[in-house]
Amino acid sequence: MSTIRFSDLRMAPQRIDVTAHHSGRAESVVFEFSEPTETTCSLVAIALSTLCGRAFEAVSFDFPVSEEATRYISALTHCPVESDGTEPHEEREGSGCVLNFSGGFDSLAARALMPSNTRLVSMDFGGRFAREREFFERFDTLRVSTNVLNSPLRLNSWSMMGMGAILAAHRLEAKYISFGSIIEASVDSLRVTPAIVKAQTFPPFAAAGYHNAPFALGLSEVGTAKVLLQNDASLAVDSLLSLASPGEEKLYRKAVLLDIVADSLGVPVDIPDIKRPERPHYPFGTAFPVDMLALYVISKTGDLTARGLVRDIPAGVAQVARQLDLSFLEQVNPTLIRALPEPLRPDFYHKLASHGLAFYDESDWSEVKRLRHLISAFYPQLSD
């Protein structure tokens, strides 16, 4: 039976150490905070559960965990959960918002659209992500450094990206949590009835006392660039250079995006010369975010190669994309906004308007329908 056990928990004001036993190995998991951060055994267990996902048939903690946290962990892992004793459950009456902040386009746009008192927390994964840290530390953010990317456990659930907000829940005292996820985060966003609109707060975040507040969900990559360029064009370029190392395709893609949106807005922007990839990594139809950007580029520039963002674009798809407008990607999907809690909407609507962002109109929805039909052969979930 595949099991995982967490032992040897040590907590200090700015550091947490624990050992994970799984697959015949024992590995150290470390968290370090940029500022003293009070937490609990239960919050540590909840954070560690994001490294489990549904990969194990049993999860155990050699330290006390509250019954409430145990229930939520079991809901995430879909298996029995045991602990060494029971920690009293602490009700948390939070207020305001916390944003999981990487300094990328999506999280910068979310920050611009969120309440002014939003708290930031940033995961520092080290290694090739060191560029991100150099950029996000310009902001007033709680940095949580960890070694989890050295472990295969990182692959078990996307929610590990929010471990810092879970561990620091008592310090942050926020009611709502946001990740800056956008339309391209899931093909589901383009469906007639997106399931994400009715999605409940993911178990580990609900366990930590948060409610999901996806501020950027109705925006596309184009929309996030539009927000950034109107706020601070030079900051947008700095963010671009923090996203990836020279030579990485992601850097080139984001530069193309920034250039086209800046041109449409008439905003001067000094983007460094970034070499076009000789052969794009992704063939069309295999990476939804890349395909969406490629189609937008074709519609706005007429370049049937989409400036080399993807390869093997079917000629028929490129020709149809050239006839599409796709300006809806510069606006906001009102269906997806329904996922945002109602108390947060008035201020959010005001900030959308101040950035020139409007909800889709009838012509936009017509274009959405045409786009959905165009790519449904590659993404069958759009056929319904």
Side-chain angles (χ1 to χ4, degrees):
M1 185 169 72
S2 176
T3 65
I4 187 167
R5 178 172 63 90
F6 296 97
S7 70
D8 306 313
L9 174 62
R10 298 183 300 280
M11 295 191 293
Q14 289 186 243
R15 182 179 172 109
I16 296 171
D17 291 84
V18 68
T19 302
H21 306 265
H22 66 99
S23 308
R25 63 198 289 183
E27 55 185 353
S28 173
V29 177
V30 178
F31 302 98
E32 292 184 320
F33 303 93
S34 57
E35 301 173 30
T37 300
E38 179 184 351
T39 190
T40 66
C41 291
S42 295
L43 287 174
V44 172
I46 295 165
L48 294 173
S49 74
T50 68
L51 297 176
C52 301
R54 299 181 185 177
F56 301 99
E57 297 170 81
V59 176
S60 63
F61 302 96
D62 289 356
F63 49 86
V65 180
S66 73
E67 292 181 357
E68 179 91 351
T70 298
R71 283 195 295 272
Y72 276 110
I73 293 171
S74 184
L76 170 66
T77 61
H78 284 212
C79 72
V81 177
E82 296 183 352
S83 64
D84 185 7
T86 303
E87 185 177 54
H89 173 62
E90 295 185 31
E91 286 289 343
R92 191 173 66 78
E93 292 295 331
S95 63
C97 303
V98 61
L99 171 65
N100 290 274
F101 183 74
S102 68
F105 284 15
D106 303 347
S107 62
L108 276 171
R111 174 177 172 268
L113 299 173
M114 292 176 73
S116 58
N117 63 348
T118 294
R119 293 139 225 160
L120 308 180
V121 59
S122 302
M123 295 299 299
D124 170 24
F125 293 111
R128 66 187 182 91
F129 293 96
R131 285 176 171 268
E132 282 189 1
R133 172 175 170 174
E134 291 178 13
F135 181 72
F136 68 58
E137 285 199 324
R138 296 187 189 185
F139 300 83
D140 182 15
T141 185
L142 174 67
R143 172 174 47 80
V144 183
S145 303
T146 181
N147 64 342
V148 297
L149 286 198
N150 298 328
S151 169
L153 296 174
R154 74 188 188 280
L155 303 174
N156 291 332
S157 173
W158 68 268
S159 56
M160 52 82 66
M161 300 296 293
M163 289 187 294
I166 294 171
L167 292 168
H170 287 303
R171 183 183 190 281
L172 297 168
E173 296 183 321
K175 180 176 183 178
Y176 301 103
I177 188 168
S178 190
F179 280 86
S181 297
I182 59 173
I183 286 174
E184 290 88 343
S186 172
V187 179
D188 175 71
S189 299
L190 273 191
R191 295 178 64 196
V192 176
T193 54
I196 195 169
V197 173
K198 296 182 179 180
Q200 299 295 310
T201 303
F202 206 56
F205 307 114
Y210 293 117
H211 298 272
N212 185 39
F215 279 85
L217 187 59
L219 276 68
S220 71
E221 272 194 306
V222 177
T224 64
K226 186 176 178 180
V227 171
L228 300 189
L229 287 165
Q230 291 179 91
N231 272 11
D232 188 334
S234 63
L235 188 66
V237 174
D238 290 346
S239 172
L240 165 70
L241 298 178
S242 76
L243 291 171
S245 302
E248 290 188 34
E249 282 192 31
K250 182 178 181 180
L251 187 63
Y252 174 73
R253 288 197 300 269
K254 292 290 188 178
V256 169
L257 167 66
L258 212 57
D259 180 58
I260 291 176
V261 177
D263 184 62
S264 71
L265 293 172
V267 174
V269 60
D270 185 17
I271 303 174
D273 185 30
I274 297 173
K275 185 179 178 182
R276 175 173 172 160
E278 293 183 8
R279 177 179 168 81
H281 176 73
Y282 296 106
F284 188 85
T286 61
F288 180 62
V290 181
D291 290 346
M292 289 284 282
L293 179 57
L295 295 173
Y296 179 78
V297 170
I298 293 172
S299 76
K300 296 304 176 185
T301 68
D303 183 349
L304 297 183
T305 70
R307 292 194 185 177
L309 295 174
V310 295
R311 57 183 169 88
D312 305 331
I313 304 177
V317 170
Q319 288 292 352
V320 173
R322 201 173 192 176
Q323 300 165 17
L324 294 175
D325 179 36
L326 300 189
S327 292
F328 73 85
L329 292 173
E330 301 161 11
Q331 305 302 334
V332 183
N333 184 322
T335 300
L336 296 175
I337 292 306
R338 294 207 299 265
L340 189 71
E342 288 192 20
L344 301 173
R345 293 181 192 176
D347 180 67
F348 175 64
Y349 292 162
H350 174 75
K351 289 184 175 177
L352 287 178
S354 70
H355 287 91
L357 295 167
F359 292 136
Y360 295 177
D361 60 20
E362 187 175 342
S363 64
D364 290 327
W365 282 117
S366 176
E367 288 287 290
V368 172
K369 185 177 181 179
R370 294 179 68 190
L371 175 63
R372 194 185 294 131
H373 177 73
L374 178 64
I375 64 175
S376 60
F378 302 92
Y379 300 99
Q381 54 268 61
L382 295 178
S383 299
D384 59 3

